[in-house]
Structure formats: structure tokens, C-alpha cells
Amino acid sequence: MFPKENGNGYHHHHHHEVPPPGMGNGDGVRRVTRSSRASSPTSTSSDTVPVVRVPEQQQLQQHRPPCTDFDMAYFNSYSHLGIHQEMIKDRVRTETYREAIMRHQSFIAGKVVLDVGCGTGILSIFCAQAGAKRVYAVDASDIALKANDIVEENNLSDVVIVLHGRVEDVEIDEEVDVIISEWMGYMLLYESMLGSVITARDRWLKPGGLILPSNASLYMAPVTHADRYSEYIDFWRNVYGINMSPMISLAKQSASEEPSVETITGENILTWPHEVKYIDSYSITIHELETITSSFKFNSMMRASLHGFAFWFDVEFNGPAISPIDSHSTPSSDNNLANGSQRKKRRNPNDALVLSTAPENPPTHWQQTLIYFYEPVALEQDQPIEGSVTLSQNKENARFININLEYSVGGRSYVKQSVMK
């Protein structure tokens, strides 16, 4: 989910604010953020009345969060073809999901499935092909209208029911056996739909039901990236024979101001990664996602320049956790260990199916997210890098992430703040 459109084919770090609904660029230029392509209305021919069900406004309950202008712009951005094409063409993503559905066919066949943020409906159709009795495909974007046409085109209207609306608003009058969703954003949580998955789980998932993916982990590690640094910064030292070094401070500021979505390799990573957050799909709460803090201590494996930190994530597709013995015990007994250290056991750890966006794995459209420093820091081999990272939802727009990094190297302490928007 959430590919960034990077029109310049170059760097991904100039993001644009989400325009208010109805303020799309309309200029056909591919921008870095999908959101900036917000709203060209999706045309539906007037003679066809879509059978897509929309929620009745009067059914809304007070406790559900309101739909903001930012939400509207976000949903609007997903009515554009390019995003869905990029996500579907991401073979690592799409084929891992298909494999997960086939592997868990015994949980899906004859059962009721909910696809949260279904987009074109491809996962819903995979579930129908796996023998689901019924699939509710929910999407707040106008792409739901197309998903409905696709379902009809594939003669699956008797199985797949497309609901056009937010998971917070639509009505489903039965419990579901399985929730599937591709909710992950850049840095796992950027623009994340995980809140919608949690809402769906709490509203409709049967006890003992299956959630795919079952868990996720966000990682970080210090990186060195001299090539990019020189390409971006040192470039100004000699421009067609002219010394433009007064531009360097501006280039450093621009390169380090906002997180950059790009692809790096294992060679850029200086240490073993640190797990910033472990997410168990069955127990995570919306409140827990508002602020995530983690302390780290790295030791550089080599002598190098530290240019910043990289973030990436993995998600796993495991069957429901088996804990028949303590199913009657009090919930407090299993939740007393902080930060996901108490993890549910898999049936067989060897056959965990993983979708990984780590630098050493084949690239996906999520790439990795890098936060560059204004100045590199010289590291000796085995030198410690200690500190903490805090990710919190932006007050202005909950889909944005505020990133606060505090780190100490070689007796000096630094603070780096950034917003992923």
C-alpha cells in the first residue's frame, strides 16, 4: 500500500502537503506523494447504478472518528490508477499475499472474509478463488466502484460484496472468520490503515478468527551512504566549472529535512538492526500507535561515515496463535510484558511466511525510509551509537508521522526531528 509517486525518477524526499479535497494538481505531473494527486473525480457512467453499498449516515455512532479533509484527500488519492498498478506490479507484495491466502486456505474455504482497504479487490478475489463463502471488500476510495465492476466481470458477485465507505462507517451484519488487509505504509506506519484493521477486528472478528498479516516488525539501523551524499551535496562544488559551494548548506538542509524513501542495500547498513516496534495484529490497540518509543544501542561493524538511520519492516502471515491452555486465564496475565516481548507461539516457526522490505531482500515499492543527518558523523569500528527514537502521530494529520531521534556518538549528543508527510 501507499506507493509514493516520484516523478523525478530521482530522490523521494520532497513530499508535498496533502491538498484539500477538490484541489488536485490536475497537471498530470507525477509527484512524490500520491496524496498530492488528490482529486480528479472518478467518472461513473450515468446509466449504470453501482450496486456498491454505501453506509447510511444516520447509522453512524458517536464514538467513531470523524472523516477529516486529510482523510478525504487520502481516499481520493487512491482513486488513481497508477497507485494500484504500482502496488499490483510489486510482485513480492502481491505474490506473498496470494501465497498466504493459499497457505491458509483451510481457514478461508467456506468462511466469511473481510478485506480492509480492498483497492481493486485483488485480495478479495484471491480469497474467493480459495473457496471463501463470502468476502466483504471494503474501501473508502472511489476505486471501490471499479472493484465492484471487476468482481462482476469475474462472475464473483455472489461471493464478493463490495462496500464503499470507511470501515468505521460501513455496516456488516455478521461476524467474520478472517480479516485480510494490506495496510502497511512507508516506515510501516506512515498513512497507515492499521487503525482501520484494528477497528474491523474489534467490530467483527470472531473469537479465534484469523488476521493476515498476523504480526509486523519495524526495524532501524545506522547507515552510511557516501554516494548519495556526494551526488547530492558535493555536486555543488563544481557545476560546469563554477564553484557553487554556497548552495551546499541549502542542499544539506534539504536532504536532511524530511525522510527519504529510497532503495539501499545491505552494504549501506553498519550494524545489526534494532526492532523499534513489534505489532501483534490480534492485540495491538489504536492507543498504542499514537506514540512509539524505543531505545537503541548499536556498535558499528566498521570504520565509516554515519550518514543517518534507515527504517524498514517485515510482516508475517501465521495461523492463529494456539493457546488452548490459558484461554480462560485473565487477560492481564498475558499483557504484562511490555513492547510485544510476550509473543504468541506459532504452530511451526520454520514455515512462517514473511513479506520483508529489508535492504538485503528483493526491493518492494515500499523501499526503505532514510533519515539523513545534516552532517555525517565519523565512526570507528565497534564504536557505540546510543539513543532513542520516538514516532508519534502528527497532531495536524494523524496519517503523518513525527520522528524524534536522539543519539550520542563519541561523546557528542544530537537531536534530529523530522516529519514524514
Side-chain angles (χ1 to χ4, degrees):
M1 180 135 248
F2 319 133
K4 274 224 180 335
E5 302 204 344
N6 60 319
N8 48 19
Y10 206 60
H11 291 307
H12 297 241
H13 65 264
H14 8 251
H15 306 267
H16 298 285
E17 293 283 340
V18 178
M23 291 286 290
N25 321 338
D27 55 8
V29 178
R30 282 168 65 83
R31 299 269 191 229
V32 175
T33 328
R34 302 149 327 312
S35 324
S36 63
R37 297 283 304 266
S39 13
S40 67
T42 307
S43 58
T44 44
S45 51
S46 50
D47 54 326
T48 60
V49 180
V51 276
V52 181
R53 303 188 196 166
V54 286
E56 300 277 330
Q57 284 308 311
Q58 62 270 30
Q59 290 174 338
L60 300 190
Q61 293 156 25
Q62 288 316 105
H63 66 268
R64 299 191 198 147
C67 190
T68 65
D69 281 358
F70 287 113
D71 291 329
M72 290 306 300
Y74 164 72
F75 297 141
N76 260 318
S77 70
Y78 277 87
S79 57
H80 291 275
L81 175 76
I83 292 169
H84 297 283
Q85 190 165 357
E86 187 181 356
M87 293 190 294
I88 289 168
K89 277 184 174 170
D90 181 342
R91 296 183 64 124
V92 175
R93 163 196 180 273
T94 307
E95 291 184 346
T96 307
Y97 267 85
R98 185 170 62 181
E99 166 75 8
I101 289 164
M102 291 314 164
R103 254 193 217 196
H104 294 91
Q105 192 165 9
S106 59
F107 294 96
I108 292 171
K111 297 293 205 307
V112 180
V113 178
L114 169 60
D115 177 358
V116 178
C118 66
T120 54
I122 188 168
L123 301 183
S124 294
I125 290 172
F126 287 158
C127 289
Q129 290 170 342
K133 175 171 79 171
R134 198 160 26 262
V135 182
Y136 292 99
V138 180
D139 205 293
S141 151
D142 286 346
I143 201 72
L145 305 169
K146 285 287 169 230
N148 198 63
D149 294 344
I150 291 167
V151 165
E152 289 190 349
E153 194 69 41
N154 289 277
N155 300 318
L156 290 169
S157 307
D158 51 341
V159 180
V160 181
I161 299 165
V162 180
L163 301 173
H164 184 195
R166 300 190 311 155
V167 140
E168 290 79 3
D169 303 337
V170 301
E171 294 300 330
I172 295 175
D173 40 25
E174 63 179 323
E175 289 188 309
V176 305
D177 302 283
V178 181
I179 291 176
I180 190 165
S181 179
E182 198 271 78
W183 52 262
M184 300 83 72
Y186 298 110
M187 252 183 106
L188 190 59
L189 298 172
Y190 171 68
E191 277 202 341
S192 175
M193 277 198 334
L194 180 54
S196 301
V197 174
I198 293 168
T199 301
R201 176 196 75 196
D202 294 348
R203 286 188 78 185
W204 297 299
L205 187 66
K206 282 181 188 168
L210 172 68
I211 306 178
L212 294 176
S214 52
N215 53 282
S217 292
L218 173 64
Y219 296 99
M220 71 180 287
V223 290
T224 186
H225 206 344
D227 296 351
R228 182 183 183 281
Y229 196 79
S230 86
E231 161 193 13
Y232 210 73
I233 311 293
D234 297 336
F235 164 81
W236 295 104
R237 297 189 197 283
N238 180 339
V239 182
Y240 295 93
I242 300 161
N243 178 352
M244 291 202 175
S245 55
M247 291 295 287
I248 287 177
S249 58
L250 197 58
K252 284 180 180 176
Q253 189 183 338
S254 147
S256 64
E257 201 164 30
E258 292 186 335
S260 170
V261 175
E262 58 185 274
T263 299
I264 56 172
T265 69
E267 291 168 13
N268 298 111
I269 305 287
L270 292 169
T271 67
W272 291 103
H274 166 74
E275 186 176 61
V276 175
K277 180 68 179 169
Y278 174 82
I279 288 171
D280 177 337
S281 302
Y282 296 89
S283 61
I284 186 85
T285 62
I286 288 179
H287 173 66
E288 217 181 314
L289 296 171
E290 287 165 12
T291 302
I292 290 166
T293 299
S294 182
S295 299
F296 54 77
K297 180 173 179 182
F298 295 109
N299 291 90
S300 181
M301 292 180 184
M302 62 189 96
R303 187 176 177 194
S305 290
L306 170 63
H307 288 105
F309 290 104
F311 292 82
W312 65 86
F313 63 86
D314 294 347
V315 296
E316 291 190 22
F317 298 87
N318 299 311
I322 38 170
S323 48
I325 305 106
D326 58 18
S327 56
H328 302 292
S329 70
T330 55
S332 59
S333 63
D334 4 307
N335 293 334
N336 51 10
L337 281 157
N339 207 12
S341 51
Q342 170 257 330
R343 301 192 183 167
K344 300 194 169 168
K345 294 287 173 279
R346 288 183 213 109
R347 292 171 190 279
N348 180 354
N350 304 330
D351 56 297
L353 182 61
V354 180
L355 169 51
S356 174
T357 67
E360 65 271 18
N361 287 99
T364 68
H365 77 271
W366 286 282
Q367 305 179 275
Q368 289 83 35
T369 299
L370 277 83
I371 292 177
Y372 286 102
F373 304 152
Y374 185 85
E375 291 282 2
V377 178
L379 290 179
E380 296 302 321
Q381 183 163 347
D382 299 324
Q383 186 163 1
I385 307 156
E386 291 185 63
S388 68
V389 59
T390 301
L391 308 176
S392 51
Q393 286 178 1
N394 184 292
K395 292 284 175 276
E396 173 205 14
N397 180 353
R399 295 187 189 276
F400 295 169
I401 304 177
N402 296 338
I403 303 154
N404 187 75
L405 276 163
E406 296 177 24
Y407 57 101
S408 306
V409 187
R412 292 196 59 185
S413 292
Y414 308 84
V415 176
K416 166 91 188 139
Q417 290 177 317
S418 197
V419 181
M420 181 126 197
K421 60 188 180 187

